[in-house]
Amino acid sequence: MPRLTAPDGTELAYHVRGEGDPLIVLPGGPMRASAYLGDLGGLAAHRRLILLDLRGTGDSAVPADPATYRCDRQVDDVEVLRAHLGLERVDVLAHSAGGNLATLYAARHPRRVSRLALITATPWALGLPVTVEDRLAAARLREDEPWFADAYPHFEAAWTGRGPFDDAMMPFFYGRWDAAAEAHMAAEVAQTNDDAADAYGSAGAYDPEATRAALTELTAPVLHLGGALDTGPTPRLVRQAAGLFPEGEYSIQPGAGHFPWLDDPEWFVRRVTTFLAGDESVVERTWRMLREGHPEARRGCREVIEAAFGEPRLRGLYPFPSHGALFFQRNTDFPWRSDLPYIATGFTGYLVYAARSADVLGETATPEEAAALVVAHLPDDCGPAVEGPWPEPDADPSE
């Protein structure tokens, strides 16, 4: 097992999973061994995960001075790991409480970070704690779950100080409460250093004003990924935190709780790898935001959007929902070419209209049939969308 020595002499261990470009991974908890992250839903198939066991957790040694468990005192451990790996700049992914360590690292070493992915990270370091009211409101959104009636009183008591944090409230941390989630939860006690957790966010750990000021120097793209069902951070807080980074963006994973790689591994890995690759086109980003129901995306019929996305030729075009219809464009910005058929939602089915007219090409019972009908009427020369306005008549769109 690879090891390195921290500046204060503490021996740190890290685990390597997968192949490809290295990705430093900082666990949450706080102060939970990195084992709970697994391979992050299959992310190790795309990147070489460097999973650090924070001091006093997992296979890392207990430090001589317990005060060094404090979050800001561990920033040097991350910098030593970067140097140990021989990397000038690093991609970093951090989960939950580990997001605060990653944030402080980015603030102190902004030129050492290439890309930063903060996964369901509560932004204490930015002065944005989750309120009890927000947690309870988020929990009540799950009142239709079969376990809600038993779990909610425990959840409410724990966060209002009238009861302990016990296993009965744990379903709220997962998008799906199944055998895998139960097993993941059951391992927490053995994987967590409680004394270190108490010290992690203790007095002096965070200086939000100074951190916000330092982050203005960070030029790296930062992804804040939240779970739609997470009680902390809530989607609103995720969006708020993203706005404090110069190159911040956010995504809210549908149906996910605090451990999104367990709830929908495919969705999670696709979103994170796309971000880390940094090559998402305007068309890809627009489709993604539509499918996520992103607050900054235009509103459209979810079923029609999914059906259209399932057609490879339509997936290469720019989607534009408007007035109950889904339009497809050959370019990504005004002025539009607007010469392709589109789908409108009818009272009993779906209507496919010819471009720039009220001529109905057909009515279908399902959105999938409507999408197929649009494809059947696409011009033969209709290729992937051109980024930007449609070129002038004498210009070649392929140039």
Side-chain angles (χ1 to χ4, degrees):
M1 177 185 309
R3 297 180 183 276
L4 67 154
T5 303
D8 67 348
T10 303
E11 187 176 75
L12 304 175
Y14 63 92
H15 305 263
V16 180
R17 295 192 178 95
E19 303 292 336
D21 293 334
L23 173 65
I24 289 180
V25 180
L26 304 178
M31 301 306 290
R32 184 173 179 180
S34 66
Y36 82 95
L37 296 164
D39 68 352
L40 285 171
L43 187 60
H46 305 270
R47 297 293 295 262
R48 179 158 52 98
L49 307 184
I50 310 296
L51 299 116
L52 178 65
D53 278 339
L54 304 184
R55 52 181 51 221
T57 71
D59 293 303
S60 288
V62 173
D65 182 2
T68 62
Y69 286 135
R70 206 174 71 180
C71 182
D72 62 315
R73 301 282 296 273
Q74 298 191 60
V75 170
D76 288 343
D77 294 353
V78 182
E79 175 61 2
V80 167
L81 175 58
R82 179 204 62 77
H84 171 80
L85 296 172
L87 301 171
E88 284 296 313
R89 303 182 75 197
V90 289
D91 289 343
V92 179
L93 181 149
H95 174 243
S96 190
N100 295 282
L101 176 55
T103 297
L104 295 184
Y105 178 76
R108 193 179 301 177
H109 302 282
R111 290 171 179 79
R112 294 300 189 185
V113 179
S114 296
R115 286 181 173 268
L116 173 60
L118 300 175
I119 312 301
T120 60
T122 304
W124 300 317
L126 299 173
L128 297 176
V130 185
T131 68
V132 172
E133 292 76 14
D134 283 347
R135 287 191 186 277
L136 297 181
R140 288 192 293 270
L141 295 176
R142 308 189 70 179
E143 61 184 358
D144 292 334
E145 297 278 5
W147 43 260
F148 179 86
D150 291 332
Y152 184 77
H154 293 268
F155 186 86
E156 182 180 37
W159 288 111
T160 55
R162 295 183 290 104
F165 286 79
D166 57 25
D167 291 352
M169 61 182 277
M170 288 300 115
F172 287 105
F173 289 85
Y174 297 85
R176 291 198 318 265
W177 185 241
D178 54 17
E182 289 192 58
H184 187 265
M185 179 273 294
E188 180 183 10
V189 172
Q191 293 172 341
T192 302
N193 181 332
D194 289 332
D195 291 337
D198 290 340
Y200 187 80
S202 58
Y206 307 125
D207 183 345
E209 185 176 350
T211 299
R212 292 189 188 196
L215 288 174
T216 61
E217 301 297 319
L218 181 68
T219 59
V222 181
L223 171 65
H224 296 251
L225 192 152
L229 301 178
D230 198 358
T231 61
T234 60
R236 180 191 62 79
L237 196 60
V238 171
R239 294 192 290 269
Q240 188 177 356
L244 297 178
F245 289 77
E247 297 297 327
E249 61 183 87
Y250 64 90
S251 284
I252 305 301
Q253 182 171 326
H258 199 61
F259 305 93
W261 64 91
L262 295 178
D263 298 319
D264 188 341
E266 182 180 353
W267 194 104
F268 175 82
V269 170
R270 181 175 63 246
R271 181 66 189 102
V272 173
T273 54
T274 297
F275 167 74
L276 292 175
D279 58 1
E280 188 177 40
S281 70
V282 173
V283 169
E284 290 170 335
R285 182 171 65 252
T286 304
W287 276 112
R288 172 179 60 76
M289 292 174 69
L290 286 174
R291 298 179 71 215
E292 287 180 8
H294 198 287
E296 295 178 8
R298 299 181 67 87
R299 293 290 178 263
C301 175
R302 180 64 61 86
E303 291 77 13
V304 172
I305 289 169
E306 286 298 322
F309 185 80
E311 291 284 350
R313 291 192 70 190
L314 298 183
R315 196 158 60 234
L317 299 173
Y318 184 77
F320 192 89
S322 179
H323 297 85
L326 179 60
F327 295 87
F328 305 96
Q329 301 290 353
R330 297 192 195 222
N331 57 297
T332 64
D333 202 356
F334 183 84
W336 312 108
R337 179 69 183 268
S338 298
D339 65 340
L340 304 178
Y342 61 94
I343 304 171
T345 304
F347 290 108
T348 59
Y350 303 87
L351 299 168
V352 176
Y353 286 91
R356 300 197 193 100
S357 78
D359 295 339
V360 177
L361 298 176
E363 183 173 3
T364 69
T366 69
E368 290 76 16
E369 292 170 333
L373 186 57
V374 171
V375 172
H377 286 83
L378 290 178
D380 292 338
D381 65 348
C382 184
V386 177
E387 293 205 4
W390 186 252
E392 296 296 327
D394 60 348
D396 182 352
S398 65
E399 294 181 351

